[in-house]
Amino acid sequence: MVYFELVTDIKAPRERVFDLARSIDLHLDSAGDTREKVIEGRSSGLFAEGETATWEGTHFGMRLQLSSRVSGIIYPEQFHSGMVKGNFKKLEHGHFFEVTAEGTRMTDKFCFEAPFGIFGRMAEKLFLRSHLKNFLEKRNRVIKQTAESEKWKAILDPATYL
């Protein structure tokens, strides 16, 4: 099993960052390189507790699908998402948000396990860890750029954050 954490400091209010992290629309924008789309479940807006979506994207030259469920929402402190169906043996993602003097510290706690025993463990070390970490780092850069600019107003209802 592979585990890593990413910490991203964002100069924006925690509620805004939390909701951008739950935004399906922003996720799709950040995953343009993989031509990701939602093929089942909520396909726009903000994920709510218990909702699922099946994502399809191109990774390693193959169209792959992964169904995930959002759980454990404690607004605006944390939420979790995890694979309910897909190509991994296990995939879990915790999203944590804390107020800082400069705005918000967003921490991703991510763990996954590839199938296929020793071959899966080799794939984890050779390319899966770096691929997934890069995917999340790009997503976090998009969240940061959106939250720190006026772009967030095109994704979230500005009246909610007055």
Side-chain angles (χ1 to χ4, degrees):
M1 184 165 13
V2 176
Y3 173 83
F4 61 85
E5 287 187 19
L6 296 176
V7 176
T8 308
D9 289 315
I10 301 172
K11 294 177 183 174
R14 177 167 67 168
E15 292 80 3
R16 181 189 308 164
V17 176
F18 183 91
D19 285 343
L20 288 171
R22 295 189 297 142
S23 170
I24 296 160
D25 305 289
L26 190 64
H27 176 83
L28 292 171
D29 285 347
S30 74
D33 293 348
T34 61
R35 298 189 321 266
E36 200 150 311
K37 62 182 177 179
V38 178
I39 60 169
E40 188 176 300
R42 179 187 279 269
S43 60
S44 67
L46 304 179
F47 275 118
E49 177 81 28
E51 288 189 315
T52 60
T54 300
W55 307 89
E56 183 178 83
T58 303
H59 298 267
F60 312 110
M62 300 177 288
R63 290 299 286 171
L64 301 173
Q65 295 179 2
L66 182 133
S67 298
S68 62
R69 175 175 288 120
V70 172
S71 63
I73 293 179
I74 302 173
Y75 186 85
E77 299 169 14
Q78 64 179 291
F79 70 94
H80 303 270
S81 56
M83 183 188 78
V84 293
K85 183 180 175 188
N87 295 35
F88 291 93
K89 187 172 182 181
K90 176 182 182 176
L91 188 143
E92 295 177 355
H93 187 178
H95 311 256
F96 300 88
F97 307 84
E98 59 186 295
V99 174
T100 65
E102 296 291 317
T104 303
R105 173 163 290 148
M106 180 174 71
T107 303
D108 293 274
K109 297 182 179 184
F110 194 86
C111 72
F112 71 94
E113 185 174 356
F116 310 121
I118 192 166
F119 298 108
R121 288 191 294 282
M122 288 176 18
E124 290 169 357
K125 288 182 171 84
L126 291 173
F127 59 88
L128 284 175
R129 182 185 191 283
S130 63
H131 177 74
L132 290 169
K133 188 174 181 194
N134 290 338
F135 186 82
L136 288 177
E137 285 172 340
K138 181 176 181 190
R139 175 186 169 274
N140 290 357
R141 281 192 302 275
V142 171
I143 291 172
K144 179 178 174 71
Q145 291 166 354
T146 303
E148 291 179 345
S149 70
E150 296 297 309
K151 294 177 187 176
W152 69 272
K153 293 178 181 178
I155 296 167
L156 304 173
D157 178 6
T160 304
Y161 304 94
L162 295 178

